[in-house]
Amino acid sequence: MRTEILDILRRAGEQYISGEEMANRLGVSRTAIWKHIRELREEGYDIISHSRSGYSLREAPDRLLPGEIRHGLKTRCIGRDIHFKETLGSTNTWAKQLAADGALDGTIVVTEQQTGGKGRLERQFFSPAGKGIWFSVILRPPFMPQEAPKCTLMAAVAVAMAMEKFGLEAGIKWPNDILFENKKLVGILTEMSAEMDRINYVVIGTGINVNILPEDFPEDIRDKATSLQLVNHGEKVPRVKFFQTMLEAMDKLYDEVLARGFAPVMDAWRKYSVTLGQEVRVIGVRDGEEYVGTAVDIDEDGALLVDAEDGCHRVLAGDVSIRPRK
């Protein structure tokens, strides 16, 4: 009901719409309209009222509410269904539950704050209230399970494309971290449920530091993390608009993947990469093996190819950490 009320108010522009007219259009009582208006105001909508003229929407909050995300969103699949909670332990956890219960391809889980967000290798991800974009996308692609890790690269490219549209410099550190001046902006974690020959679902969890100031970050990551606001010379970035832009980029990439495979995504990843051509140190997570070489490319599976003294190594996501050589 609140979505329909917002649609009516938006179409009216700066004109007033009476509670009686909205009630007649929606087939409810004026009291019901008044209650929904009150709830919308509590969510942060600036709705003014006039005793004779009715209601007018003057400003919408920059909050990741389903109605705000849907308004003006131009996607085919991603965002067809949006689930929101003010606070979550992890969007991936809820997304996996929804996926197991049959959630549609393209369903989104989003929150204003995560209390237990995690990145690759079980690292904690700082997700403060109202300052970032913390969300997960559920996909049900028809390709084979071994293709699923490339969805992580697709998500990284979508964020980089959105940053570019906002005039912000983006660089992807293999496999999926978005960096600016060697500080982390975005973390991505992909999880999957699959059988031998089919994917049940893929959940791509993404955390984007948007309007976080240096003093907001915990001391232990203050010199390693940054935000879109800081990249934008201190100017706040509108979270809803950026989120919509990123979802639209991911939607187009997903369509391309379904039609043509991952080759276009891999080419775009190479364009944004800050790893290729660099000397890197590879540290094995499982066996502790360590070597230095030059990152020369990614192969068709998304593995990083490192040219070292003893030959070319194929590095798989999740098995190693990549660090610039000191």
Side-chain angles (χ1 to χ4, degrees):
M1 179 66 68
R2 281 179 286 178
T3 299
E4 288 83 355
I5 291 172
L6 285 172
D7 287 342
I8 292 172
L9 292 172
R10 285 191 171 107
R11 286 197 295 270
E14 295 185 0
Q15 301 298 315
Y16 285 87
I17 297 290
S18 70
E20 183 178 5
E21 182 176 348
M22 284 193 283
N24 290 335
R25 287 193 197 181
L26 299 175
V28 298
S29 67
R30 290 177 61 184
T31 301
I33 295 295
W34 176 80
K35 287 181 179 178
H36 285 298
I37 292 289
R38 182 183 62 186
E39 290 171 356
L40 287 168
R41 284 170 170 163
E42 289 173 355
E43 288 184 347
Y45 289 90
D46 184 8
I47 301 173
I48 60 174
S49 58
H50 191 281
S51 58
R52 294 185 178 181
S53 303
Y55 302 98
S56 177
L57 175 64
R58 295 305 164 94
E59 189 174 358
D62 190 31
R63 299 187 65 225
L64 303 177
L65 302 170
E68 290 306 297
I69 296 167
R70 289 191 189 99
H71 179 64
L73 181 66
K74 300 177 178 65
T75 59
R76 178 196 63 83
C77 173
I78 295 178
R80 63 167 65 181
D81 194 9
I82 302 173
H83 295 260
F84 169 83
K85 283 187 180 179
E86 193 72 31
T87 302
L88 280 172
S90 163
T91 59
N92 264 28
T93 299
W94 192 21
K96 287 186 289 184
Q97 293 170 355
L98 292 171
D101 290 337
L104 295 174
D105 189 30
T107 295
I108 293 172
V109 169
V110 63
T111 186
E112 285 285 355
Q113 179 184 23
Q114 281 190 131
T115 58
K118 292 185 183 295
R120 290 178 63 240
L121 309 178
E122 293 298 311
R123 295 177 181 133
Q124 293 291 322
F125 196 92
F126 177 59
S127 313
K131 294 178 179 290
I133 300 172
W134 327 116
F135 75 104
S136 297
V137 176
I138 299 168
L139 299 181
R140 298 187 183 276
F143 44 73
M144 297 294 286
Q146 55 265 35
E147 298 280 277
K150 301 177 194 175
C151 291
T152 306
L153 306 183
M154 179 180 72
V157 169
V159 177
M161 285 178 157
M163 288 181 63
E164 195 169 54
K165 286 194 175 183
F166 273 73
L168 304 175
E169 182 182 341
I172 304 176
K173 172 180 172 285
W174 185 87
N176 54 30
D177 286 342
I178 309 292
L179 303 183
F180 179 78
E181 295 182 347
N182 209 35
K183 291 186 176 183
K184 188 170 180 176
L185 280 158
V186 179
I188 301 170
L189 175 65
T190 299
E191 299 181 90
M192 174 179 67
S193 169
E195 299 170 22
M196 286 292 293
D197 59 350
R198 66 185 292 268
I199 293 173
N200 296 321
Y201 61 80
V202 174
V203 170
I204 309 172
T206 306
I208 307 174
N209 298 335
V210 184
N211 297 320
I212 305 179
L213 297 175
E215 57 268 26
D216 296 328
F217 287 109
E219 287 188 13
D220 60 333
I221 63 169
R222 197 166 290 171
D223 61 343
K224 303 172 186 175
T226 188
S227 69
L228 297 182
Q229 181 178 356
L230 297 177
V231 176
N232 198 34
H233 309 291
E235 293 293 324
K236 282 190 173 183
V237 173
R239 290 189 302 150
V240 171
K241 184 61 180 173
F242 186 89
F243 192 27
Q244 290 175 324
T245 302
M246 185 266 175
L247 294 177
E248 289 167 4
M250 183 182 285
D251 192 70
K252 289 180 180 178
L253 289 169
Y254 189 43
D255 276 348
E256 283 193 354
V257 166
L258 295 179
R260 302 166 52 197
F262 278 93
V265 169
M266 310 296 255
D267 288 341
W269 187 95
R270 292 181 179 98
K271 169 189 170 184
Y272 293 111
S273 174
V274 294
T275 302
L276 298 184
Q278 300 297 313
E279 194 170 46
V280 296
R281 184 181 300 273
V282 181
I283 304 172
V285 173
R286 294 174 182 168
D287 57 14
E289 181 187 10
E290 184 173 335
Y291 57 89
V292 172
T294 300
V296 294
D297 201 358
I298 53 172
D299 66 14
E300 61 181 11
D301 295 321
L304 184 68
L305 303 179
V306 178
D307 190 5
E309 288 185 358
D310 60 346
C312 187
H313 293 253
R314 184 173 180 268
V315 185
L316 295 171
D319 291 338
V320 299
S321 295
I322 305 295
R323 300 174 183 171
R325 186 182 185 185
K326 296 181 180 180

